[in-house]
Amino acid sequence: MGLDSTPSRYRRIVEEHFTALYGSAFGRLGQVLAVDAAPDGRRAAVLGEIRSAWRDRPDAVLHLVDLDTGATTRLGDGGDVCPQWSPDGTRIAVATGGAARLVDPDTGAGTPAPPVPGVVEYLQWAPDGRQLLLGVHRPAATGGDAAPVVTGTGADEGARGLWIWDTATASVRQLTVTGAVWEASWCGADRIAAIVSDRPTENSWYTATLTLIEVAGGQRIGYRSDRQLALPTGAPDGSAVAFVECWCSDRGVVAGALKLLDPATGTVSDVDTRGVDVTDLRWPNSLWYAGIREPETAVGVVSGTGVDGDPARPAPASTEVAPAAGSRAGEEIWSGTDTIGQFYPAVAPLPGGRFVAVHSSYARPPELAVFDRAAEPRTVLAAGHDGEHRVRDRAGTLSYVDWSAPDGLRIGGFLARPAGTGPHPLVLHVHGGPVLAFRNRWQLGHPLIGLLVAHGYAVLSANPRGSTGRGREYVDRVVGDMGGADAGDLLAGVDAMIERGVTEPGRIGVTGHSYGGFMSCWLVGAHPGRFAAAVAASSVTDWYVQHFASEIGWFDVAFLGATPDTPGGPHFTRSPLSLAHRVRTPTLLFAGADDTGVPPVQSTEFATALAESGTPVEHVRYPNEGHVTRGQRAILDQHARTLDWFARHLPTG
């Protein structure tokens, strides 16, 4: 199991917990990661997670699911991403192992695309159903295991470009694009809408523009912003491009304002989504969106982007969609306090105003379900099993709670409580980002929560200012002030739980990953004595190192509101390392040895500083892991050490 160095008393407990979660799914379809529905709405291409005991990382495998019967057929061997049905419903395109292929859904037979120089990260069918757009990433050359890695000006940075696969002629050709393409979508048959930056580095993505690329040659900027742009989604007839504008902590973690661009005039109009921060866009005939409005998840369709905006009446191929200037309104067709999608809400439209999605809540294991606005969701494929139900039954209860920050702003979050009246020891759980959010999904997206609750802890998973689901102004409040008022939001949440009898002073712990790891280290230094134990993963502790050694140096400048050369600026005053001498809270630190987003040396620095001050500290660095721990044995080890750390320094008895 790879847990030989883990405290033995918790090794077995964690193994049993995760075996209950995943064990009965070993070797078969488990969690659904992505869904794309066939045009006729009868079947869905599903990307499902398959685990093989605890020896390796789970694999993503293409499956075909009958939406009437739930019958499931495996169509892949692993390494699949981005399944896409052809417009006529006869083929499924998918990227497998970095190469594109077509799959016959009836026979399972596959047809590989001609090779391209790089890794196919995503793909999309053209409206004519003959061509496929391929997003291709050529990583920077490393020269092999024995060769040096060269960085800096003039070094090979790789490339991110677009290719078109003509399936009728079995040929591929590269589009001429100036810059690096991160995401792209057809906008009609002759134009591509793309997110393009000047260089292919992660840091450059933050300043990328929405760019219109002509298939015949040429490109122009369609929209530029001081925020991040993502999810370009073109109308099939080429008359509009939908996209999302928002502050983003990380590429791929997108939730924000929905906008429409008219390619002919350059006019950009806002879409009123009634407070929903949009996380997913689809445009079969009408424009669909899914997103978060804390504490709800919602799905809507934009008026005027189909036949009268009615998704129940699909538009013919010749329909003209001409977005007008000014604001449009989304018609909400479903919302709930439970959620859809996995990491963030996602939707796959079906004919007749229905859709299919992964449906879950804290107490509901993920299920593939069909939603109809006139009826309750109908489960098609239930991933739940007896083991998951045992985990659910020990995970206590979840409720949405809110409280007032010191400046009067309303802050919300989710409280998981064990049985009994309390007070209980409380673990404050801080999400990553800071532009992210907890929502009511299975295990709240973190198996650690159910594990802690099962052992007598209450867990407060807070959404401080900067979190998504509360609109643009709420996110703006953290930009330039990270570690300031947001820290006050979290402390106010702890105080509220004390006032309500959930916990009591002296019995508080804190944990988090990434931004949550930074905040865990920051709080124990800025407020010594408030926390009995801390567990922090992938934590920024030194903003100077973060700026100069991370691949995303843009991030700290934006969210701290200063450059590192500012004398006495926040790169020093907001670094947990600057307060390490004040920390008396026993602290456990995790880091991935290959983390390029938050260099692991920062955890080493903080651990050394705490040890020199005589504060109990442990530092665990995992080989072959990056910013997010993905190896199954490393995940088991991390959870066992976390449970042991809290048991030692924040006991339930």
Side-chain angles (χ1 to χ4, degrees), residues 198-481:
D198 57 346
R199 296 164 57 193
T201 61
E202 290 291 334
N203 204 49
S204 297
W205 171 81
Y206 290 96
T207 55
T209 63
L210 176 63
T211 300
L212 301 176
I213 301 167
E214 303 299 328
V215 173
Q219 66 187 69
R220 58 187 170 91
I221 294 175
Y223 186 72
R224 191 190 301 273
S225 175
D226 60 353
R227 287 163 171 75
Q228 285 70 63
L229 306 175
L231 305 181
T233 307
D237 68 351
S239 59
V241 178
F243 63 98
V244 170
E245 179 185 56
C246 54
W247 286 109
C248 293
S249 308
D250 307 271
R251 178 169 67 93
V253 184
V254 174
L258 175 56
K259 293 179 176 288
L260 284 172
L261 167 71
D262 183 335
T265 66
T267 301
V268 173
S269 57
D270 297 315
V271 177
D272 180 5
T273 57
R274 295 175 174 82
V276 173
D277 284 341
V278 172
T279 59
D280 188 36
L281 293 174
R282 302 288 182 101
W283 205 325
N285 294 305
S286 302
L287 175 61
W288 290 65
Y289 63 87
I292 308 168
R293 181 180 54 223
E294 185 182 331
E296 295 182 316
T297 297
V299 174
V301 178
V302 179
S303 60
T305 59
V307 179
D308 299 326
D310 185 355
R313 296 183 297 166
S318 61
T319 297
E320 293 294 328
V321 184
S327 178
R328 294 201 179 186
E331 177 195 359
E332 201 161 291
I333 62 174
W334 177 84
S335 64
T337 54
D338 46 1
T339 194
I340 60 170
Q342 285 286 6
F343 183 77
Y344 255 175
V347 61
L350 298 170
R354 302 173 303 138
F355 65 91
V356 59
V358 178
H359 185 208
S360 75
S361 69
Y362 181 71
R364 177 199 294 269
E367 302 172 345
L368 190 67
V370 171
F371 291 71
D372 189 320
R373 68 176 81 191
E376 289 296 313
R378 175 176 60 85
T379 299
V380 173
L381 184 66
H385 51 77
D386 290 343
E388 285 183 333
H389 293 184
R390 288 197 300 272
V391 168
R392 177 197 63 194
D393 294 342
R394 299 183 62 204
T397 59
L398 186 79
S399 60
Y400 181 76
V401 293
D402 60 8
W403 59 91
S404 293
D407 61 1
L409 185 67
R410 183 184 69 83
I411 310 297
F414 293 91
L415 176 65
R417 299 183 65 167
T421 58
H424 310 282
L426 174 76
V427 175
L428 172 64
H429 187 201
V430 188
H431 61 61
V435 188
L436 198 61
F438 291 113
R439 57 196 176 92
N440 182 20
R441 59 182 176 134
W442 172 237
Q443 298 283 287
L444 225 61
H446 298 267
L448 175 64
I449 295 175
L451 187 63
L452 287 171
V453 173
H455 286 81
Y457 296 92
V459 181
L460 176 63
S461 299
N463 288 328
R465 67 192 69 203
S467 302
T468 51
R470 295 278 298 278
R472 177 169 175 157
E473 182 181 347
Y474 195 74
V475 172
D476 286 349
R477 290 174 180 269
V478 81
V479 179
D481 186 41

Side-chain angles (χ1 to χ4, degrees), residues 551-571:
E551 65 180 353
I552 53 172
W554 179 94
F555 168 83
D556 55 271
V557 171
F559 284 85
L560 291 176
T563 56
D565 58 357
T566 304
H571 280 75

Side-chain angles (χ1 to χ4, degrees), residues 584-597:
R584 296 296 177 264
T585 302
T587 302
L588 173 62
L589 299 161
F590 295 113
D594 298 335
D595 189 349
T596 56

